[in-house]
Amino acid sequence: MAKIVPGVGPKFPQVVVLVGATGDLSKRKLLPGLFHLTSAGFIPGYRIIGVSLDDISPEDFRAQARQALEQFSTRKLDESAWTDFAAALDYVPLTAGPGALRAAVERAEAELGPNTERLHYLSVPPNAALPAVKMLSDADLVARSRIIMEKPFGTDLDSAVSLNARLHEFFDEDQIFRIDHFLGKEPAQNILAFRFANGLFEPIWNRNFIDHVQIDVPETLGLGKRAAFYEQTGAYRDMVVTHLFQILGFMAMEAPTSLEPAPISEEKNKVFRSMLPIDPAHVVRGQYTGYRREEGVDPESDTETFIALKCMIDNWRWAGVPFFLRTGKRMAEGQRIISIAFREPPKSMFPHGSGVGAQGPDHLTFDLADASKISLSFYGKRPGPGIRLDKLSLQFAMHDTGMIGEVLEAYERLILDAMRGDHTLFTTAMGIERLWEVSRPLIENPPPVRLYEAGSWGPKSIHQLVAPHAWRLPFERAWRSPNPSGS
């Protein structure tokens, strides 16, 4: 048995009901994540009950879980830890009905003892979410439970309001955890630490010093097997509402009264309430060539695989500062960055040709990949006679600390937070409904899709969108390698 690490995870043993247990997300992220959390001693006692349409036995489920760990876990598989984990796995086919699931949970709770809590993870397609919720209710598993919901949280304002109303028929809002794995990443949380723990940056985090902000998440991946899902959603619903706007909320929020879930959620929601409705004239929708030939895609599909937009936050801190967001499939690189461009000095004393301003404004850049990098660029004098300036940078990467091995993967952190009842990194019903509200002009009157070549940076009209500024990606200079000399 793993030694329990106090003060990190939940206080009480957990029964995890994993609905969609044989699906791709479960195999790639959830089962490996739960294995690490349990083997690291973050959870004081646990049982995991898989539920799915597959008519398999508990032994078959254990075999699938073992295969998933061997294929997708980023950590070495310890055999003694696996033995403990396998003993905690059970499985109930969906066809067995609510009574069988209830019996399995009761067996698990009898083994774990009093004060056991329940965590339901719905790793299911959107059309299966409400039936799964009703099944949990029919099995009388709502009490002492929390439920994690996967995106999308509706597809427009009306559907989001309806979905939340239906959920609230069974679960209270404080029991519901709408997951956004972007916010589970260490770098996303580092934004809060960077802003509010450093007197150097918080005073300049406003419209007086910041010219514009870019949140850029291009992906090299295509659809895979998600064509049916993607045809109903597209890049805006799939990525912007549920991911990029959430990152924007962290970046733009006011200082919370404390680092507790309720104050942080309230400050994020204030940002969303201050957002102006998205103007379709400030949006570029794109579709990579060949998308309409993908299996399961309408040959005349108008679904966007790329979106870039400008949005504005109409409050005291950010009035007049444009936020540019971009994401898409089959693009040139896979990146996840926030880039903050600072205002340039009002007057330059440097002679013409010195190089000042030639490489754009100073930038503070957060890389939201798991390696967690931060870069601050600035102009400095080139050594030698005369005045010639070059763009230089200060950089930090998590590798520099020697603590990269302690980073929890996004799903691991979010599962642990849900077990603890911590809503800090999760989306609220109020917040998601407000985001669909500001999205209504775009959803009702979307601009036409423009074609772009796979492996490019999107339609050429994105440059008019961001003008007179320029997109930070692709970077002119690569990130420095961590510890290149080995010293």
Side-chain angles (χ1 to χ4, degrees):
M1 290 290 290
K3 183 179 179 181
I4 301 301
V5 180
V8 175
K11 295 180 180 179
F12 303 112
Q14 302 285 315
V15 173
V16 179
V17 177
L18 182 53
V19 185
T22 60
D24 188 63
L25 177 62
S26 179
K27 292 176 180 177
R28 289 179 176 273
K29 295 294 184 182
L30 306 183
L31 287 169
L34 286 165
F35 176 75
H36 177 240
L37 293 177
T38 55
S39 60
F42 293 145
I43 304 173
Y46 65 97
R47 295 292 185 272
I48 299 168
I49 302 170
V51 179
S52 82
L53 288 169
D54 294 344
D55 191 8
I56 59 176
S57 67
E59 291 74 22
D60 295 331
F61 179 52
R62 293 184 189 106
Q64 288 192 19
R66 171 74 187 219
Q67 185 179 14
L69 295 183
E70 290 175 345
Q71 186 174 357
F72 298 114
S73 179
T74 58
R75 302 174 178 91
K76 186 177 179 180
L77 185 60
D78 179 83
E79 286 299 329
S80 63
W82 162 252
T83 300
D84 292 339
F85 189 73
L89 296 179
D90 197 359
Y91 183 83
V92 177
L94 199 61
T95 53
L101 178 57
R102 172 72 186 181
V105 171
E106 287 178 342
R107 286 194 303 272
E109 291 178 342
E111 295 171 1
L112 293 172
N115 300 321
T116 300
E117 296 177 336
R118 303 161 181 165
L119 180 72
H120 308 309
Y121 198 120
L122 303 191
S123 177
V124 296
N127 60 357
L130 287 175
V133 168
K134 187 175 187 309
M135 176 195 67
L136 294 171
S137 176
D138 291 343
D140 196 21
L141 296 177
V142 174
R144 308 194 317 279
S145 76
R146 300 180 177 104
I147 183 168
I148 297 179
M149 307 284 297
E150 280 283 342
K151 65 165 187 166
F153 314 117
T155 56
D156 55 22
L157 179 58
D158 292 342
S159 62
V161 170
S162 175
L163 174 62
N164 287 328
R166 291 292 305 280
L167 287 174
H168 293 155
E169 292 176 12
F170 303 100
F171 289 89
D172 294 335
E173 178 64 19
D174 63 3
Q175 292 179 281
I176 301 170
F177 292 76
R178 299 169 186 82
I179 196 168
D180 172 14
H181 71 272
F182 270 49
L183 294 188
K185 292 180 175 296
E186 197 79 38
Q189 298 161 70
N190 211 15
I191 296 170
L192 294 181
F194 192 89
R195 283 191 59 189
F196 300 127
N198 296 295
L200 176 62
F201 291 102
E202 179 54 26
I204 61 172
W205 210 268
N206 57 57
R207 60 186 174 84
N208 295 321
F209 298 94
I210 292 176
D211 183 74
H212 68 277
V213 178
Q214 295 180 26
I215 302 176
D216 209 347
V217 186
E219 298 181 299
T220 57
L221 298 174
L223 298 187
K225 298 179 180 179
R226 302 173 70 219
F229 165 77
Y230 208 79
E231 273 288 272
Q232 301 299 316
T233 54
Y236 184 79
R237 290 177 171 93
D238 184 41
M239 289 291 293
V240 176
V241 176
T242 51
H243 291 326
L244 273 63
F245 280 160
Q246 304 301 323
I247 293 293
L248 183 150
F250 258 31
M251 188 270 157
M253 64 189 275
E254 298 293 327
T257 54
S258 67
L259 286 178
E260 296 293 326
I264 290 177
S265 292
E266 173 57 19
E267 294 304 333
K268 276 179 57 187
N269 287 341
K270 284 181 183 177
V271 173
F272 301 152
R273 289 197 294 270
S274 300
M275 287 174 62
L276 295 176
I278 304 301
D279 184 348
H282 296 154
V283 177
V284 175
R285 295 171 69 236
Q287 187 185 90
Y288 64 79
T289 54
Y291 171 77
R292 295 176 183 178
R293 296 192 297 272
E294 300 266 10
E295 183 179 353
V297 172
D298 183 343
E300 298 182 359
S301 175
D302 188 50
T303 300
E304 79 278 359
T305 62
F306 169 97
I307 191 139
L309 59 95
K310 178 173 76 172
C311 65
M312 307 293 289
I313 301 173
D314 191 26
N315 63 15
W316 192 268
R317 182 182 291 264
W318 296 113
V321 177
F323 287 73
F324 298 101
L325 281 57
R326 176 173 66 168
T327 186
K329 299 287 188 185
R330 300 289 299 273
M331 296 185 69
E333 294 178 19
Q335 295 275 0
R336 296 171 179 176
I337 72 154
I338 302 174
S339 188
I340 299 164
F342 292 101
R343 294 193 182 279
E344 298 187 60
K347 180 174 174 58
S348 175
M349 66 185 73
F350 295 94
H352 179 72
S354 65
V356 67
Q359 297 184 57
D362 300 336
H363 283 89
L364 175 64
T365 304
F366 294 87
D367 185 340
L368 300 184
D370 290 330
S372 189
K373 299 174 184 175
I374 301 173
S375 172
L376 178 63
S377 69
F378 57 93
Y379 285 97
K381 182 183 177 299
R382 183 186 300 176
I387 295 290
R388 288 286 299 166
L389 279 74
D390 286 328
K391 207 63 179 289
L392 308 174
S393 67
L394 300 173
Q395 293 188 10
F396 160 82
M398 187 62 69
H399 291 278
D400 299 333
T401 67
M403 300 175 69
I404 190 69
E406 298 183 24
V407 173
L408 287 178
E409 292 191 357
Y411 281 99
E412 295 172 355
R413 176 179 301 279
L414 293 168
I415 288 171
L416 204 61
D417 283 355
M419 288 179 172
R420 295 168 51 232
D422 186 338
H423 278 87
T424 301
L425 303 177
F426 294 87
T427 305
T428 66
M430 182 186 302
I432 201 70
E433 289 176 12
R434 171 58 184 168
L435 290 175
W436 285 121
E437 185 179 2
V438 301
S439 302
R440 177 171 271 171
L442 173 60
I443 291 172
E444 293 180 349
N445 188 30
V449 293
R450 301 172 184 268
L451 295 180
Y452 65 98
E453 292 297 322
S456 72
W457 286 98
K460 297 188 185 308
S461 51
I462 61 171
H463 301 296
Q464 284 78 46
L465 174 70
V466 79
H469 316 296
W471 291 102
R472 283 279 281 155
L473 288 177
F475 286 133
E476 293 181 5
R477 298 176 302 281
W479 290 92
R480 287 197 289 271
S481 299
N483 231 2
S485 64
S487 59

